[in-house]
Amino acid sequence: MNPYVLTTLLSSLGLGTTLTFASSHWLLAWMGLEINTLAIIPLMTQHHHPRAVEATTKYFLTQATAAAMILFASTTNAWISGEWYMTSMSNPIATAMILAALALKIGLAPMHFWMPEVLQGLDLSTGLILATWQKLAPLALIIQTAPAFHPLLLTTLGLMSALVGGWGGLNQTQLRKVLAYSSIAHMGWMIIVLQHAPQLTLLTLLTYILMTSAAFLMLKLSYATKISTLATTWSKSPLLTATTLLVLLSLGGLPPLTGFMPKWLILQEMVKQDLPLTATVMALTALISLYFYLRLCYTMTLTISPNTITSTTPWRTQTNQASTPLALSTVLALGLLPITPTIMM
């Protein structure tokens, strides 16, 4: 892709998200979301592959539907209350519609069906943008309007997403679909704690972005898109394989890695709020998710691909990919647990 075009698209992507962040008015927020959607579409179709075009079409249709719902609901709310501001959501029907639209935007269950399909059709770098950056603007809107939503609705969305994210990833063989279901599960964790402690939602979002970035960049560096490809990575780069294993376990939420911190704090918060049952169900869904991360780890490190040689390959393919972002995100995805007391302050 032409570097000038790429720069324009990426800056539009940033502009759309920033507009949504800065807005307190529904029309401005809607405009930010639209700029965001339109800027990523050329990035998604840059390879002109039929699968990419199909994924882009699916993405465009779902995002356009969600944007239309937001516009309709905010107009309805303005009609009834005379206010366009996000803080004054008085109409329960409009509020529920806006939550449904924003859930569709970020792929919360039961509005998650587009997410694995779309992510599967993209290359890993665009997939990374879709799984991290594209979540920011809708989540900012959900956090801003959270007091207006019914607590039961948020809890249901969170529980369903965590369950579907764990359950759906179990029988996948494609790594991008596994990461898509992992994303759905993490969104569930963010939404479930939103009504009690919004700062924990932000913490979970930050750790999720770090861990997902590390995972995507590692797969990009080893050109892996299927689980079967993972079995051959150890002979090419043993060190990368070992760190990928740790990043996957961090995504699963095992101590002493970064991914344990948000889950621990969320479960603690829910017990404090006298919701032991919800906390138990969330902990069990984390176990389901952990199973498919362990499956990936097992394939990577404990199985040998049916090759003729079983030693490390003597030659190395020189890669021209930048490894600094990977190194940085890996370190952050593995070693942030000791700063938990600082965060709790």
Side-chain angles (χ1 to χ4, degrees):
M1 189 182 263
N2 185 324
Y4 297 114
V5 176
L6 188 63
T7 311
T8 311
L9 290 174
L10 289 175
S11 50
S12 303
L13 208 58
L15 172 74
T17 308
T18 315
L19 260 180
T20 310
F21 279 173
S23 61
S24 57
H25 191 288
W26 275 116
L27 273 182
L28 193 61
W30 170 79
M31 197 160 64
L33 291 171
E34 284 296 280
I35 292 172
N36 216 338
T37 305
L38 292 175
I40 200 176
I41 281 171
L43 290 173
M44 291 166 88
T45 49
Q46 62 183 324
H47 293 300
H48 305 295
H49 189 276
R51 193 73 189 76
V53 175
E54 183 196 337
T56 311
T57 312
K58 285 175 181 170
Y59 181 74
F60 175 73
L61 290 174
T62 50
Q63 299 298 309
T65 309
M69 276 172 75
I70 289 172
L71 201 55
F72 178 63
S74 52
T75 313
T76 310
N77 186 63
W79 193 332
I80 291 165
S81 68
E83 288 278 354
W84 277 100
Y85 291 104
M86 290 176 194
T87 42
S88 56
M89 293 294 295
S90 52
N91 184 11
I93 298 173
T95 313
M97 272 186 73
I98 279 191
L99 181 58
L102 291 171
L104 180 61
K105 279 255 177 213
I106 58 171
L108 279 172
M111 284 76 92
H112 67 281
F113 294 100
W114 61 272
M115 179 88 189
E117 295 297 321
V118 168
L119 207 58
Q120 179 54 35
L122 307 178
D123 65 322
L124 288 164
S125 38
T126 319
L128 172 61
I129 297 175
L130 183 74
T132 54
W133 185 262
Q134 291 297 89
K135 306 279 186 204
L136 296 178
L139 255 171
L141 294 182
I142 292 179
I143 291 170
Q144 270 177 287
T145 45
F149 299 138
H150 196 286
L152 185 64
L153 209 54
L154 287 173
T155 309
T156 312
L157 277 175
L159 280 173
M160 275 188 78
S161 300
L163 260 169
V164 165
W167 205 252
L170 289 180
N171 63 346
Q172 298 301 334
T173 54
Q174 299 284 343
L175 294 173
R176 285 165 292 188
K177 280 194 175 176
V178 168
L179 285 166
Y181 280 110
S182 145
S183 166
I184 294 166
H186 278 90
M187 290 293 139
W189 280 88
M190 287 172 218
I191 294 298
I192 198 111
V193 78
L194 180 59
Q195 53 201 326
H196 309 300
Q199 66 275 16
L200 281 185
T201 301
L202 291 173
L203 174 70
T204 314
L205 177 66
L206 182 68
T207 49
Y208 160 75
I209 287 175
L210 290 173
M211 296 182 297
T212 308
S213 304
F216 267 101
L217 291 168
M218 278 168 172
L219 297 178
K220 187 167 172 275
L221 200 69
S222 53
Y223 299 106
T225 52
K226 292 201 290 287
I227 291 187
S228 52
T229 324
L230 284 181
T232 60
T233 49
W234 70 271
S235 60
K236 292 177 197 155
S237 46
L239 189 63
L240 186 72
T241 308
T243 45
T244 310
L245 162 84
L246 289 172
V247 166
L248 288 170
L249 291 177
S250 184
L251 269 166
L254 284 189
L257 305 165
T258 307
F260 176 61
M261 172 171 58
K263 290 187 174 166
W264 165 33
L265 295 176
I266 287 172
L267 291 176
Q268 186 179 314
E269 180 63 36
M270 281 155 75
V271 172
K272 266 189 209 164
Q273 297 289 343
D274 205 24
L275 298 165
L277 191 64
T278 319
T280 311
V281 175
M282 289 304 281
L284 291 174
T285 58
L287 278 179
I288 304 176
S289 296
L290 185 61
Y291 176 79
F292 63 77
Y293 295 122
L294 282 172
R295 192 163 141 238
L296 297 183
C297 297
Y298 176 75
T299 314
M300 274 190 100
T301 53
L302 296 171
T303 56
I304 292 180
S305 175
N307 289 349
T308 43
I309 51 163
T310 53
S311 59
T312 354
T313 32
W315 47 270
R316 290 276 183 278
T317 45
Q318 281 301 315
T319 177
N320 54 0
Q321 297 180 40
S323 54
T324 319
L326 170 61
L328 198 62
S329 57
T330 307
V331 169
L332 293 171
L334 299 183
L336 287 187
L337 188 67
I339 66 162
T340 311
T342 322
I343 289 169
M344 289 171 78
M345 293 291 283

